[in-house]
């Protein structure tokens, strides 16, 4: 079964940190580029960060540069999003996405940052 399962979300105070994980199964994870998106209530889904299958420089939305870090462990079929210095505006459901031609979405994990 092809799937992505996110975890690591939760409630954190402003200035805090969380690390999201996304575990892939049912497909060859290592050849897919991976992305993290987020969607806040009443807003469109937006790209947060992306990382290629092998090598390359990760890319980030301007709003998270210097605070978030995307990484992957192909041996564990997992992509991570380390989020530091969290702000209330980071509150959203966070989704991982595998892309190679078409794409595969995870179910999302809620991140709530209190002020």
């Amino acid at each position: 079964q092809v799937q992505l399962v996110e975890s690591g979300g939760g409630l954190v105070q402003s200035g805090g940190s969380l690390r999201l994980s996304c575990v892939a199964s049912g497909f060859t994870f290592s050849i897919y580029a991976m992305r993290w998106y987020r969607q806040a209530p009443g807003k469109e889904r937006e790209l947060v960060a992306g990382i290629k299958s092998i090598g390359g420089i990760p890319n980030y939305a301007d709003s998270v540069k210097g605070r978030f870090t995307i990484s992957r462990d192909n041996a564990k079929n997992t992509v991570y999003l380390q989020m530091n210095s969290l702000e209330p505006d980071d509150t959203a459901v966070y989704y991982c996405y595998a892309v190679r031609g078409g794409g595969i979405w995870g179910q999302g994990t809620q991140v709530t940052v209190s002020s």
Side-chain angles (χ1 to χ4, degrees):
Q1 182 181 1
V2 173
Q3 64 177 355
L4 295 168
V5 179
E6 300 99 331
S7 62
L11 174 64
V12 64
Q13 289 188 334
S14 182
S17 298
L18 286 173
R19 188 176 82 153
L20 305 183
S21 300
C22 172
V23 179
S25 60
F27 63 99
T28 307
F29 174 78
S30 61
I31 65 174
Y32 278 69
M34 296 299 299
R35 299 172 184 168
W36 285 96
Y37 286 80
R38 67 185 181 186
Q39 187 166 19
K43 295 186 177 181
E44 293 186 355
R45 193 170 296 190
E46 64 171 348
L47 177 63
V48 175
I51 187 168
K52 294 183 178 180
S53 56
I54 298 176
I57 300 173
N59 60 284
Y60 299 94
D62 287 344
S63 58
V64 307
K65 280 181 181 176
R67 300 188 299 121
F68 290 11
T69 302
I70 187 172
S71 61
R72 66 188 297 160
D73 185 337
N74 287 341
K76 295 183 178 180
N77 287 354
T78 303
V79 62
Y80 304 96
L81 186 67
Q82 177 67 43
M83 305 186 296
N84 299 328
S85 302
L86 283 161
E87 305 166 353
D89 283 348
D90 295 318
T91 294
V93 178
Y94 284 72
Y95 299 89
C96 65
Y97 180 68
V99 57
R100 181 178 171 86
I104 305 165
W105 286 99
Q107 84 289 349
T109 185
Q110 176 70 47
V111 171
T112 303
V113 184
S114 63
S115 56

